[in-house]
Amino acid sequence: MILDSETKAVELPHEHGDELRLWLRLLTCTTLIEGEVRSRLRERFDVTLPRFDLMAQLDKAPEGMTLSDVSKRMMVSNGNVTGLVERLVESGHLDRRTSDTDRRVQVIRLTKAGRVEFRKMAAEHESWIADIFSDLAPKDVRELMRLLAKTKASAQKSATARASSC
């Protein structure tokens, strides 16, 4: 059996602080859940998680988005988005056009077929996530959301303080 980093840290708790063990637990949960979602998307729809994420962003913007806006929302480089877009244009899920206001800018959007297929994927995706968290009671979910909001605020505060000290 391969041990994840969290398991290794639990076996030697005196060598790791609580914050490090918390980080490893969050990372382990994220890795497990993301791996399961990736597998299900691939098996059920023959689509990658990045393609699904790109389509999710575009589903929220029926008029389309620029490549730059998509890359910011997905927190990836323009180069990563360009490759995803090429494959989704080829498969008929996206169309691409030149911006009416700036000929250097490309605007992408879901095609009608792309939107229909994405919404099928999104509905199943939502049920998968519900299944993954099915052992948590609603009050547990609310408490976890509250604690993760505090965690996010703490991380943002730390990042802001570090950036302002540089």
Side-chain angles (χ1 to χ4, degrees):
M1 176 171 92
I2 298 174
L3 297 180
D4 58 47
S5 296
E6 179 191 5
T7 303
K8 292 175 187 175
V10 169
E11 289 177 350
L12 300 169
H14 60 282
E15 293 183 14
H16 304 285
D18 288 343
E19 293 83 3
L20 179 59
R21 289 196 314 276
L22 173 60
W23 163 241
L24 294 172
R25 167 97 22 112
L26 289 170
L27 189 58
T28 299
C29 289
T30 300
T31 301
L32 285 169
I33 295 165
E34 184 177 313
E36 184 62 20
V37 169
R38 283 179 188 276
S39 292
R40 291 182 189 200
L41 283 170
R42 189 172 37 258
E43 291 166 8
R44 178 71 178 94
F45 297 105
D46 192 30
V47 72
T48 64
L49 184 56
R51 287 183 197 178
F52 177 84
D53 289 344
L54 173 58
M55 293 172 76
Q57 292 302 319
L58 293 172
D59 188 55
K60 298 173 200 166
E63 63 286 340
M65 296 174 71
T66 66
L67 293 177
S68 179
D69 286 341
V70 170
S71 70
K72 286 177 193 167
R73 285 179 178 243
M74 292 179 67
M75 296 183 284
V76 298
S77 71
N78 282 346
N80 287 344
V81 170
T82 300
L84 292 171
V85 167
E86 291 299 325
R87 289 185 288 282
L88 287 167
V89 167
E90 288 171 13
S91 67
H93 291 93
L94 300 184
D95 70 12
R96 175 180 39 212
R97 62 180 163 74
T98 303
S99 168
D100 295 334
T101 57
D102 186 343
R103 305 221 27 95
R104 299 168 295 174
V105 175
Q106 297 282 308
V107 177
I108 56 172
R109 66 177 174 210
L110 288 170
T111 61
K112 185 176 180 181
R115 189 171 306 283
V116 167
E117 188 166 340
F118 170 74
R119 291 196 175 162
K120 284 182 199 171
M121 287 188 270
E124 283 199 41
H125 175 269
E126 187 171 350
S127 72
W128 300 337
I129 298 302
D131 176 60
I132 289 168
F133 289 107
S134 65
D135 288 343
L136 298 177
K139 70 179 181 83
D140 296 331
V141 171
R142 287 190 301 274
E143 179 66 5
L144 191 52
M145 289 292 291
R146 185 186 71 73
L147 291 170
L148 288 172
K150 284 180 73 172
T151 303
K152 179 180 176 182
S154 180
Q156 288 172 326
K157 180 180 171 188
S158 177
T160 300
R162 185 187 58 77
S164 66
S165 71
C166 292

